[in-house]
Amino acid sequence: YQMNKKDLEEEQRMYVEKMSKVREEWGAWNLSDPFYSDDDDDKKEKKGYAEKKRQHVDFSHAPYRDVSVDSFPDSSWQADEEYTYAFIDEAQALVNRVLEGIYAEYGFPTKKENEDLMTEIEKAERDKLWQIYVEGVTEGDDKVGIASINKAGWDLIQRKLLHAV
């Protein structure tokens, strides 16, 4: 890598500027673990946390890393309901940002160039265009949308995605 320090710093500055605009337009992952952000030590003591430190699960003994819910220590993130809901909220926001990015990339942004938002009718038309028709599941017989798949294939895709997570 043959760039001098000045050029590297300029490249970094330009990247940070670009990403700031992306974050401003699309948002960014912003999960803050309530376990560490909550300074209420009494709350921690009631839950039995001696230190502000999450316990980890030993997955080495479990085939395919599947462990029972009872195997998670109380202070692990997997057993923390507050963390789980915070994570789900951030994950849903991320999925929505990705969807909006895909729609925008293919010419169907929710926010138009003139800053107006799509109407509900326009969104319904877009959703129908991007629909995946699953035989035996999707209502109606017209295979309108971006893709068509049979029920077995759909179940396999769901399983594949679940295991990838």
Side-chain angles (χ1 to χ4, degrees), residues 27-38:
W29 184 266
N30 191 27
L31 178 64
S32 177
D33 188 345
F35 182 84
Y36 295 110
S37 62
D38 185 1

Side-chain angles (χ1 to χ4, degrees), residues 48-78:
Y49 306 152
E51 303 173 27
K52 282 195 170 188
K53 180 179 165 187
R54 285 219 182 265
Q55 292 175 302
H56 298 282
V57 180
D58 179 12
F59 289 99
S60 63
H61 67 282
Y64 305 107
R65 307 297 186 244
D66 281 339
V67 297
S68 69
V69 72
D70 299 334
S71 299
F72 294 109
D74 288 341
S75 68
S76 70
W77 66 265
Q78 294 95 333

Side-chain angles (χ1 to χ4, degrees), residues 13-151:
R13 185 196 64 73
M14 290 171 48
Y15 176 78
V16 168
E17 184 180 313
K18 174 185 169 186
M19 293 312 297
S20 293
K21 290 177 184 175
V22 168
R23 286 172 172 256
E24 186 178 316
E25 175 74 19
W26 297 101
W29 184 266
N30 191 27
L31 178 64
S32 177
D33 188 345
F35 182 84
Y36 295 110
S37 62
D38 185 1
D39 291 328
D40 186 353
D41 289 330
D42 291 337
K43 184 178 175 184
K44 298 268 185 286
E45 282 183 36
K46 287 177 189 173
K47 288 186 171 182
Y49 306 152
E51 303 173 27
K52 282 195 170 188
K53 180 179 165 187
R54 285 219 182 265
Q55 292 175 302
H56 298 282
V57 180
D58 179 12
F59 289 99
S60 63
H61 67 282
Y64 305 107
R65 307 297 186 244
D66 281 339
V67 297
S68 69
V69 72
D70 299 334
S71 299
F72 294 109
D74 288 341
S75 68
S76 70
W77 66 265
Q78 294 95 333
D80 186 337
E81 188 173 319
E82 190 177 2
Y83 177 89
T84 302
Y85 284 118
F87 185 92
I88 288 170
D89 289 344
E90 276 298 313
Q92 287 174 331
L94 173 62
V95 168
N96 290 337
R97 288 193 304 272
V98 169
L99 282 172
E100 286 302 321
I102 292 169
Y103 289 148
E105 184 70 20
Y106 285 96
F108 297 94
T110 301
K111 187 193 294 184
K112 301 175 186 177
E113 287 184 24
N114 64 5
E115 300 295 318
D116 289 343
L117 297 178
M118 274 186 159
T119 65
E120 292 305 313
I121 293 170
E122 290 171 323
K123 285 182 190 177
E125 289 171 358
R126 177 188 68 186
D127 291 349
K128 188 169 184 172
L129 177 67
W130 284 81
Q131 174 178 305
I132 297 174
Y133 177 84
V134 182
E135 291 178 26
V137 176
T138 306
E139 291 182 19
D141 290 329
D142 56 336
K143 296 180 182 181
V144 176
I146 199 165
S148 176
I149 191 168
N150 64 33
K151 175 84 168 88

